[in-house]
């Protein structure tokens, strides 16, 4: 169950980021053959910013909500990156830790968003999950 929830969260983030990139007529960068040494906080900050931008449009976030949501996403991404580095050789422990991080993030978002906004977010997550399952079935 958790694996699907975590995958759903990642898929939601990816789809929302892709939508943001399309709206700005930007291209999504492709992977290089040589690894790029970018520090995790920069990546986390960038992903948090982009996801917050998309949610601001989708959920009509206020300025204060936007600031708080971005902080939650940045913190979540940093915690997930740290957990992956720390527990990369222990998949069950990694999944447990990511589940805890995801639950804490979801709880924080629920306190920041209005009931309607939170329901919209959950509906979008379900939609993305359904799309992923449809692709998987093909």
């Amino acid at each position: 169950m958790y694996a699907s929830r975590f995958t759903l969260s990642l898929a939601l983030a990816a789809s929302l980021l892709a939508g943001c990139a399309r709206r700005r007529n930007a291209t999504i960068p492709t992977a290089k053959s040589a690894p790029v040494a970018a520090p995790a906080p920069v990546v986390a900050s960038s992903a948090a910013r982009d996801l917050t931008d998309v949610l601001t449009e989708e959920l009509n976030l206020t300025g204060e909500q936007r600031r708080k949501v971005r902080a939650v996403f940045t913190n979540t991404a940093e915690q997930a990156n740290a957990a992956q580095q720390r527990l990369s050789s222990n998949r069950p422990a990694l999944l447990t830790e990511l589940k805890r991080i995801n639950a804490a993030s979801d709880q924080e978002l629920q306190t920041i968003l209005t009931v309607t906004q939170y329901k919209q977010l959950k509906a979008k997550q379900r939609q993305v999950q359904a799309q992923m399952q449809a692709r998987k079935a093909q």
Side-chain angles (χ1 to χ4, degrees):
M1 165 131 174
Y2 168 70
S4 66
R5 178 183 262 180
F6 179 69
T7 304
L8 172 62
S9 297
L10 290 177
L12 175 62
S15 69
L16 292 174
L17 289 174
C20 181
R22 282 192 301 271
R23 280 194 257 309
R24 293 183 180 170
N25 294 327
T27 58
I28 298 173
T30 57
K32 308 258 189 240
S33 59
V36 178
V42 172
V43 173
S45 176
S46 172
R49 182 194 64 238
D50 292 345
L51 186 54
T52 302
D53 288 347
V54 172
L55 285 182
T56 297
E57 289 179 30
E58 297 282 330
L59 304 178
N60 297 317
L61 299 180
T62 66
E64 182 68 13
Q65 284 177 316
R66 180 185 173 114
R67 184 185 62 75
K68 289 179 180 180
V69 165
R70 184 171 179 182
V72 168
F73 288 152
T74 300
N75 186 37
T76 299
E78 289 172 353
Q79 287 181 20
N81 287 338
Q84 288 174 339
Q85 289 177 355
R86 200 175 60 248
L87 302 169
S88 63
S89 62
N90 186 351
R91 185 159 173 84
L94 174 61
L95 291 176
T96 300
E97 181 65 9
L98 291 175
K99 182 178 181 179
R100 184 198 63 75
I101 293 167
N102 191 37
S105 173
D106 191 61
Q107 193 173 30
E108 287 181 69
L109 288 173
Q110 194 169 10
T111 63
I112 296 167
L113 302 175
T114 66
V115 173
T116 303
Q117 288 170 326
Y118 186 75
K119 285 180 182 178
Q120 288 173 330
L121 176 64
K122 289 301 175 184
K124 185 67 174 174
Q125 286 176 335
R126 285 190 298 275
Q127 178 186 4
V128 169
Q129 184 178 24
Q131 289 171 350
M132 285 177 45
Q133 288 176 348
R135 283 187 211 142
K136 195 179 215 181
Q138 293 178 347

